[in-house]
Amino acid sequence: MSGARNISNALRRARLPRPRVHLRPVLPQSPLTHATALRSFSSTPLRASTKEIKYTSEAYNIQRDPKFAEVTADDVAFFKSLLGSESAVVDGVTADATDDIEPFNSDWMRKYRGHTRLVLKPQSTEEVSKVLKYCNERKLAVVPQGGNTGLVGGSVPVFDEIVVNTSRMNQIRSFDQASGVLVADAGVILETADSYLAERGHLFPLDLGAKGSCHIGGNVSTNAGGLRLLRYGSLHGTVLGLEAVLPDGTIVDSLSTLRKNNTGYDLKQLFIGSEGTIGLVTAVSILCPPRPRAVNVAYFGLESFEHVQKAYLEAKNQLSEILSAFELMDGRSQGLVHTSTGNKYPLEGEYPFYCLIETSGSNAEHDMAKLEAFLEHVMGEGIVADGVLAQDETQFQALWRWREGITESLSHLGGTYKYDVSIPLAELYQLVEDCNSRLTEMGFVGDDDSFPVRAVVGYGHMGDSNLHLNVSVRQYNKEVEKAIEPWVYEWIQKRNGSISAEHGLGIAKRQYIGYSQNETMVNLMKQLKGLYDPNGIMNPYKYI
Amino acid sequence: MSGARNISNALRRARLPRPRVHLRPVLPQSPLTHATALRSFSSTPLRASTKEIKYTSEAYNIQRDPKFAEVTADDVAFFKSLLGSESAVVDGVTADATDDIEPFNSDWMRKYRGHTRLVLKPQSTEEVSKVLKYCNERKLAVVPQGGNTGLVGGSVPVFDEIVVNTSRMNQIRSFDQASGVLVADAGVILETADSYLAERGHLFPLDLGAKGSCHIGGNVSTNAGGLRLLRYGSLHGTVLGLEAVLPDGTIVDSLSTLRKNNTGYDLKQLFIGSEGTIGLVTAVSILCPPRPRAVNVAYFGLESFEHVQKAYLEAKNQLSEILSAFELMDGRSQGLVHTSTGNKYPLEGEYPFYCLIETSGSNAEHDMAKLEAFLEHVMGEGIVADGVLAQDETQFQALWRWREGITESLSHLGGTYKYDVSIPLAELYQLVEDCNSRLTEMGFVGDDDSFPVRAVVGYGHMGDSNLHLNVSVRQYNKEVEKAIEPWVYEWIQKRNGSISAEHGLGIAKRQYIGYSQNETMVNLMKQLKGLYDPNGIMNPYKYI
């Protein structure tokens, strides 16, 4: 599964005797085929029937800002001359290039769709600089785009913004074995970077489902969180340096490879998570840890969210430095994976909650001893009702698919309203309960096709207090959406949570920043946007 | 030793049999007395003979900027009325308060000295807001000051800037056991915060020699690195939220306790490491890891820097997730500690290089097994020539004093020119060799008192590629200084290093930022400074 987590590739897997606690082996199941698994995250989004996707401008009732110029044949000639190569310009302005253009105009979830007629694929930072400088002077709006795997429409144009895609900036610039620092172009695919590091005994400190398609420049621009944040920390800590281009063409060369550098303001931080609204990230320098030699994964069934919380605290306490993931999946989310894939459940009974725990360490024997002690404790105390422990690589991958396959399974079943939120741990799952009650009481939820909502499911990164609330619908439905929003944002605001933990704001949450940031913060952001992008050409119509 | 590292307080220490490798126990030695140890880091710097310290304005030939107003009796009356309490205002304007004022006018190294006549100690963020707003309107310059333990003069006034000291903002606001998130006022002393966390099974993710005096607000404002960065990462990753006041009185409330929050620009990052030049940090929210249950420390003698590099790579590889410190000390630095303290060396022979390795983990037995395997390897391969492993808490502390006592030992012996730099690992120690050769050839270095330079020593955080080059002088000497600067900065620039890894720029390096930041970066910093502090009242005469 190209888009999946293959952390243990090239690793020596722990092949240890079964633990003493009663844990059953993973049941055999038919693995997802490569083609199926790739579908959602193909680097070329499906071209068929993109016309069915509603235009973002209509769905969100957005008007084109007349201050932006329209792309002319002269502009296209300039870009063709600048970028040289035929493949660097997808020209829908002077030619009919609808089929070639459409993949850049829409997202893989089929939720957002723009009207761009020009895609540029520069190959160097200097080319990006010249492109942006030209656009800025001509007041041509621009959308930076990496792998286009985002979930909030941040990398898709709304009107005729020029897409500047980083796919041709895909070179690894350097790697230092002693320090573990990788320097790479923005357009390097995350999985490519990780495979390169695997061969050198290191690990990219970020992992997420879209790794087979997403670009590391996009990861940094959206401050992607993912599966390894619990262990390796956020990109604000691991990104050591960054190269970016401001709208006026200024190249911000802050591509330090030093772990410590206290010489003035840490300006690179502003580009991490700002979703291409103040500049375009062209290269990244990032600190990569040694690749763990032993990786284990266990999958549990639990009777209540209170049990999940207890299990988390025990894992944090007992597994401590080797805990690399603590993922939560509710019963409904696992039911959807079951329905979608036809795979047998890993456990015999069904439970309202499931957890996936991963350990990564340097000594297989020590890790297994810690894991065994932990398992004995949580099963002995009745915190965990049942569990399995992967015994080999196949089982390891199979268990992870029950977590990583949720997004994809949902996409097979229809539309999904996705909410990616941070909430203090104690109330993390209450949001799912409350949302489900609300939609059920309003008559939206049911098993047969007359109900718009198939299920309200919750899963996410428990260790980061990060919940994914997903409302699976048979088709996108304004009534359902109105029942959820802004109710869900108000719910989160009351708990001082975040309405976007890791996905960003993009188009989807463009109007909701006020639920997680106060007026002063929003004004300070607007002030910075005005400073760096006075013409407002960078990723317009989004959250700022 | 209040200013020392007491990581293992309240921890169950590993009391395991001696490792199989030939390691001798730590030799008994007379521990530093509490009073001695405290001297350098006393929260009230020594008052005696401050008049001997040269004024910074003279030493650095700085002119007072006439745009700043002078503090009047009316201003003092306003501040007294605003802050209420007698102890909140140290008034040298309308009264003679020289003795009370001087500790705030100079630093513990006795290198920097200002002319302030007014110290304010607000007790709340609202008070800070009113103070800054007033100062901004009146164009009164301000120096934010925490524990005043910095090494570059960043928290000391140059002329009559008003010192705004955070010592009365010293409340821990909240701690969440489940997430490990601590929220505390800027003026909480680092050691106080860590002790509070120790009682709750957690650890402050930063540790440094001045912990007994430094304020966490100061740590964040200077982006302090210290001893634990190798393991727990930089403050850019661990600080989750921050509250600060801008010069116009605006309260920047970004005090999130969420591990993930992707809702717009991460503005709090701008205050981390900007040394109080764009605002005053009033509170911090920080992610604290579980306190390790087992901590071990070993001390090695090595024959060359090549051996040190090999030992580091082996430690990184074999100790991996439990490695919490890899510190380098050269033979001369340990000789100075020996001379200053009279303590016997931990090892029998003398070596050109020493390393201190610390492990922190959750399982004493596992950690010791890893450490033993590592020790067997590095001693068996001849990478390490000799070594000792602490067997109990006393030995643990004693070994750490050979690393942490360097700064203090140097301060007992006269003056020190301090350079805190990042250099790629392979060339890390070459700077010390080259500097020593240069000063020796110029006739500055010698054993008797006729030579200005006592020794050129190197030590630091090997794991972070962070070297402290210290030139120990019998008295500060302009000729010596000119021989070192800007030569040292040019040396670093050639290797793309940083002229300030963790200490910051302050006064000491105010003119040298160009050696580690290009013109574009410096201009972008100036632009931001102008945006947030148009009157330039925040910490003037420093690096920006």
Side-chain angles (χ1 to χ4, degrees):
Chain A
M1 177 165 171
S2 172
R5 188 159 183 292
N6 61 353
I7 175 177
S8 58
N9 278 0
L11 295 185
R12 194 154 48 82
R13 277 276 304 138
R15 289 172 200 277
L16 287 164
R18 295 265 305 281
R20 294 183 298 278
V21 292
H22 175 68
L23 279 176
R24 289 172 299 92
V26 180
L27 295 172
Q29 49 189 314
S30 59
L32 296 176
T33 65
H34 189 71
T36 310
L38 257 182
R39 224 197 71 176
S40 302
F41 302 124
S42 165
S43 57
T44 309
L46 287 180
R47 291 175 189 190
S49 65
T50 44
K51 285 176 187 159
E52 293 165 23
I53 308 174
K54 204 167 175 184
Y55 284 111
T56 305
S57 54
E58 291 164 19
Y60 288 81
N61 195 22
I62 303 171
Q63 303 302 311
R64 186 180 183 284
D65 190 329
K67 77 178 172 188
F68 296 124
E70 289 186 32
V71 183
T72 64
D74 282 352
D75 297 327
V76 174
F78 170 81
F79 291 125
K80 281 186 175 168
S81 151
L82 173 67
L83 303 182
S85 158
E86 271 295 304
S87 59
V89 179
V90 187
D91 170 19
V93 178
T94 65
D96 178 13
T98 312
D99 284 354
D100 292 336
I101 287 272
E102 278 310 304
F104 302 94
N105 251 330
S106 57
D107 70 316
W108 69 272
M109 289 191 309
R110 308 170 50 72
K111 254 190 175 167
Y112 307 100
R113 188 179 175 204
H115 300 266
T116 199
R117 295 190 298 153
L118 187 65
V119 177
L120 305 178
K121 301 180 185 174
Q123 207 169 12
S124 70
T125 306
E126 289 65 32
E127 285 183 359
V128 173
S129 169
K130 285 173 185 160
V131 165
L132 292 191
K133 188 169 190 295
Y134 182 91
C135 290
N136 194 45
E137 282 165 5
R138 278 273 295 126
K139 291 199 171 53
L140 291 164
V142 163
V143 174
Q145 187 180 80
N148 198 11
T149 62
L151 293 156
V152 292
S155 57
V156 181
V158 176
F159 292 99
D160 56 344
E161 302 93 284
I162 296 172
V163 171
V164 180
N165 183 289
T166 52
S167 57
R168 288 175 77 243
M169 298 179 69
N170 56 8
Q171 300 301 304
I172 286 173
R173 297 193 190 177
S174 68
F175 176 66
D176 180 57
Q177 194 76 29
S179 62
V181 178
L182 176 82
V183 182
D185 286 352
V188 171
I189 289 172
L190 176 56
E191 194 167 52
T192 306
D194 191 53
S195 301
Y196 175 93
L197 289 163
E199 288 166 17
R200 287 151 184 86
H202 283 73
L203 181 84
F204 202 92
L206 169 75
D207 191 14
L208 40 80
K211 76 185 293 181
S213 304
C214 64
H215 294 188
I216 60 172
N219 295 148
V220 169
S221 299
T222 57
N223 190 29
L227 303 161
R228 289 176 183 162
L229 190 133
L230 171 67
R231 173 67 170 275
Y232 302 109
S234 89
L235 292 171
H236 287 291
T238 51
V239 170
L240 300 182
L242 188 144
E243 184 189 79
V245 180
L246 297 181
D248 68 0
T250 299
I251 295 174
V252 179
D253 175 4
S254 182
L255 207 51
S256 168
T257 57
L258 304 168
R259 186 143 186 196
K260 290 177 170 174
N261 182 13
N262 276 355
T263 52
Y265 309 162
D266 195 359
L267 292 173
K268 72 168 184 288
Q269 300 285 353
L270 290 177
F271 298 91
I272 303 176
S274 53
E275 302 181 37
T277 61
I278 52 177
L280 193 151
V281 173
T282 51
V284 172
S285 158
I286 190 163
L287 183 68
C288 302
R291 205 164 188 89
R293 282 187 286 269
V295 184
N296 293 296
V297 67
Y299 180 97
F300 301 140
L302 305 98
E303 297 291 1
S304 73
F305 187 66
E306 284 64 44
H307 287 85
V308 175
Q309 288 184 75
K310 279 184 194 165
Y312 172 63
L313 285 179
E314 290 299 333
K316 191 180 151 186
N317 186 40
Q318 294 192 41
L319 300 174
S320 195
E321 69 271 13
I322 62 165
L323 183 65
S324 52
F326 193 111
E327 298 289 311
L328 164 74
M329 299 83 73
D330 69 5
R332 284 189 290 265
S333 75
Q334 300 301 269
L336 291 175
V337 175
H338 174 69
T339 305
S340 158
T341 63
N343 292 342
K344 277 192 187 168
Y345 285 106
L347 305 176
E348 265 167 24
E350 287 186 36
Y351 298 89
F353 293 94
Y354 297 89
C355 290
L356 184 148
I357 290 180
E358 187 193 72
T359 64
S360 304
S362 60
N363 184 308
E365 204 178 318
H366 293 167
D367 291 5
M368 188 52 81
K370 288 188 181 86
L371 194 53
E372 276 184 27
F374 165 72
L375 294 173
E376 266 189 75
H377 179 77
V378 292
M379 299 195 76
E381 297 284 316
I383 296 169
V384 162
D386 196 6
V388 288
L389 184 65
Q391 304 295 319
D392 59 29
E393 173 68 24
T394 306
Q395 292 184 354
F396 179 95
Q397 299 293 353
L399 286 183
W400 261 112
R401 272 198 293 275
W402 284 91
R403 165 63 185 88
E404 290 205 305
I406 299 172
T407 299
E408 195 190 339
S409 293
L410 284 164
S411 76
H412 293 180
L413 294 168
T416 311
Y417 291 104
K418 287 178 155 320
Y419 304 93
D420 156 51
V421 308
S422 284
I423 310 168
L425 211 60
E427 295 197 84
L428 191 70
Y429 197 74
Q430 192 59 46
L431 176 60
V432 185
E433 307 276 26
D434 288 1
C435 185
N436 190 46
S437 302
R438 179 179 170 84
L439 296 181
T440 304
E441 279 162 22
M442 292 170 92
F444 289 131
V445 187
D447 283 337
D448 74 65
D449 286 354
S450 67
F451 293 93
V453 176
R454 187 187 302 268
V456 178
V457 308
Y459 59 98
H461 314 296
M462 180 87 180
D464 312 326
S465 236
N466 179 188
L467 176 83
H468 297 315
L469 165 69
N470 280 205
V471 178
S472 171
V473 290
R474 293 185 168 86
Q475 56 280 319
Y476 291 120
N477 179 312
K478 266 291 172 209
E479 292 305 305
V480 172
E481 189 177 324
K482 279 184 193 161
I484 310 172
E485 301 174 24
W487 170 87
V488 64
Y489 300 122
E490 288 163 0
W491 195 101
I492 293 157
Q493 185 179 35
K494 279 182 202 147
R495 278 111 183 140
N496 296 313
S498 172
I499 62 153
S500 178
E502 58 178 10
H503 293 171
L505 297 170
I507 278 289
K509 299 173 186 173
R510 62 196 289 267
Q511 296 182 311
Y512 302 117
I513 188 170
Y515 287 98
S516 286
Q517 297 279 2
N518 57 46
E519 201 182 329
T520 302
M521 297 307 293
V522 174
N523 286 338
L524 288 171
M525 288 181 208
K526 285 182 180 162
Q527 189 185 33
L528 274 190
K529 168 75 174 174
L531 183 71
Y532 291 118
D533 185 18
N535 292 334
I537 65 160
M538 295 301 292
N539 218 355
Y541 315 112
K542 306 295 162 67
Y543 74 93
I544 197 157
Chain B
M1 177 165 170
S2 170
R5 186 157 186 290
N6 62 351
I7 174 178
S8 58
N9 280 0
L11 296 185
R12 195 154 46 83
R13 278 276 303 136
R15 289 172 199 279
L16 288 164
R18 294 264 307 280
R20 294 185 297 279
V21 290
H22 175 69
L23 280 176
R24 289 170 301 93
V26 180
L27 296 173
Q29 51 189 313
S30 59
L32 297 175
T33 64
H34 188 71
T36 311
L38 255 181
R39 225 196 71 175
S40 303
F41 302 125
S42 164
S43 58
T44 310
L46 286 182
R47 292 175 188 189
S49 64
T50 45
K51 284 176 188 160
E52 295 164 21
I53 309 174
K54 204 167 175 185
Y55 283 110
T56 304
S57 53
E58 292 164 20
Y60 288 81
N61 195 22
I62 304 171
Q63 303 301 312
R64 186 181 184 284
D65 191 330
K67 78 178 175 187
F68 295 125
E70 291 187 30
V71 183
T72 64
D74 282 353
D75 297 328
V76 174
F78 170 81
F79 291 125
K80 282 185 174 169
S81 151
L82 172 68
L83 302 182
S85 158
E86 271 294 304
S87 60
V89 179
V90 187
D91 170 19
V93 178
T94 66
D96 178 14
T98 312
D99 284 354
D100 292 337
I101 288 272
E102 279 309 308
F104 302 95
N105 252 329
S106 57
D107 71 316
W108 69 272
M109 288 192 310
R110 308 169 52 70
K111 253 192 179 168
Y112 308 99
R113 188 180 174 204
H115 299 266
T116 197
R117 295 191 298 151
L118 187 65
V119 177
L120 304 178
K121 300 180 185 174
Q123 207 168 14
S124 70
T125 305
E126 288 66 32
E127 286 182 0
V128 172
S129 168
K130 285 174 185 160
V131 164
L132 292 191
K133 188 170 190 294
Y134 182 89
C135 290
N136 194 43
E137 283 166 4
R138 278 273 292 126
K139 292 198 171 50
L140 291 164
V142 164
V143 174
Q145 187 180 80
N148 198 12
T149 61
L151 293 157
V152 291
S155 58
V156 181
V158 176
F159 293 99
D160 57 343
E161 302 92 284
I162 297 171
V163 170
V164 180
N165 182 289
T166 52
S167 56
R168 287 174 76 241
M169 299 180 67
N170 55 9
Q171 300 301 303
I172 285 172
R173 298 193 189 178
S174 68
F175 176 68
D176 180 56
Q177 194 76 33
S179 62
V181 178
L182 175 81
V183 182
D185 286 352
V188 170
I189 289 171
L190 176 56
E191 193 168 54
T192 306
D194 191 53
S195 300
Y196 175 93
L197 289 163
E199 288 166 17
R200 288 154 184 84
H202 283 73
L203 181 85
F204 202 93
L206 169 76
D207 191 14
L208 41 80
K211 77 187 291 183
S213 303
C214 63
H215 295 186
I216 60 172
N219 296 146
V220 169
S221 299
T222 57
N223 190 29
L227 304 162
R228 288 175 183 163
L229 189 134
L230 171 68
R231 174 67 170 275
Y232 301 111
S234 90
L235 292 170
H236 287 290
T238 52
V239 170
L240 300 181
L242 187 145
E243 183 189 80
V245 180
L246 297 180
D248 68 359
T250 299
I251 296 174
V252 179
D253 176 4
S254 183
L255 208 51
S256 169
T257 57
L258 304 168
R259 187 142 186 196
K260 288 177 172 176
N261 183 12
N262 276 355
T263 53
Y265 308 162
D266 195 358
L267 293 173
K268 71 167 185 290
Q269 300 285 354
L270 291 177
F271 298 91
I272 303 176
S274 54
E275 303 182 39
T277 60
I278 52 176
L280 193 152
V281 173
T282 52
V284 172
S285 159
I286 190 162
L287 183 68
C288 302
R291 206 164 187 88
R293 281 187 288 269
V295 184
N296 293 296
V297 67
Y299 180 97
F300 300 141
L302 305 98
E303 296 292 359
S304 73
F305 187 64
E306 284 62 45
H307 286 86
V308 174
Q309 288 184 73
K310 280 184 193 161
Y312 171 63
L313 285 179
E314 289 299 333
K316 190 180 151 187
N317 186 40
Q318 293 192 41
L319 301 173
S320 194
E321 69 271 14
I322 62 164
L323 183 65
S324 52
F326 194 110
E327 298 289 311
L328 164 73
M329 299 83 72
D330 69 5
R332 284 190 290 265
S333 76
Q334 299 299 269
L336 292 174
V337 175
H338 173 68
T339 306
S340 158
T341 63
N343 291 341
K344 278 191 185 167
Y345 285 107
L347 304 177
E348 266 165 26
E350 288 186 34
Y351 297 90
F353 293 95
Y354 297 89
C355 290
L356 185 149
I357 289 180
E358 188 193 72
T359 64
S360 303
S362 60
N363 184 307
E365 205 176 321
H366 292 168
D367 291 4
M368 188 51 79
K370 286 188 181 86
L371 195 51
E372 277 184 28
F374 165 72
L375 293 174
E376 267 189 75
H377 178 77
V378 292
M379 299 194 75
E381 296 285 316
I383 296 169
V384 162
D386 195 7
V388 288
L389 184 66
Q391 303 295 319
D392 59 28
E393 173 67 24
T394 307
Q395 293 184 354
F396 179 95
Q397 298 294 354
L399 285 182
W400 261 112
R401 271 199 294 275
W402 284 92
R403 165 63 185 87
E404 289 205 306
I406 299 171
T407 299
E408 195 190 339
S409 293
L410 284 166
S411 76
H412 292 182
L413 295 168
T416 311
Y417 291 104
K418 287 178 159 310
Y419 303 92
D420 157 51
V421 308
S422 284
I423 310 168
L425 211 59
E427 295 197 85
L428 192 69
Y429 197 74
Q430 192 59 47
L431 176 60
V432 185
E433 307 276 25
D434 288 0
C435 186
N436 190 44
S437 302
R438 179 179 169 83
L439 296 181
T440 303
E441 280 162 21
M442 292 171 92
F444 289 131
V445 188
D447 282 339
D448 75 64
D449 285 355
S450 66
F451 293 94
V453 176
R454 187 186 302 270
V456 178
V457 307
Y459 58 99
H461 313 296
M462 179 88 181
D464 311 327
S465 236
N466 178 188
L467 176 83
H468 298 315
L469 165 70
N470 280 204
V471 179
S472 171
V473 290
R474 294 185 167 86
Q475 56 280 319
Y476 291 120
N477 178 312
K478 265 292 172 210
E479 291 306 304
V480 172
E481 191 176 324
K482 279 185 195 162
I484 310 173
E485 301 176 22
W487 170 87
V488 65
Y489 299 123
E490 289 164 359
W491 195 101
I492 293 157
Q493 186 179 34
K494 278 181 205 148
R495 278 114 184 134
N496 295 315
S498 171
I499 62 153
S500 179
E502 58 177 11
H503 294 171
L505 297 171
I507 279 287
K509 299 173 187 173
R510 62 196 290 266
Q511 295 181 311
Y512 302 117
I513 188 170
Y515 288 97
S516 287
Q517 298 278 0
N518 57 46
E519 201 181 330
T520 303
M521 297 307 292
V522 174
N523 286 338
L524 288 170
M525 289 182 206
K526 285 183 180 162
Q527 188 186 35
L528 273 189
K529 169 74 175 177
L531 183 73
Y532 291 119
D533 185 18
N535 292 333
I537 65 160
M538 295 301 291
N539 218 357
Y541 315 112
K542 305 295 162 66
Y543 74 93
I544 199 158

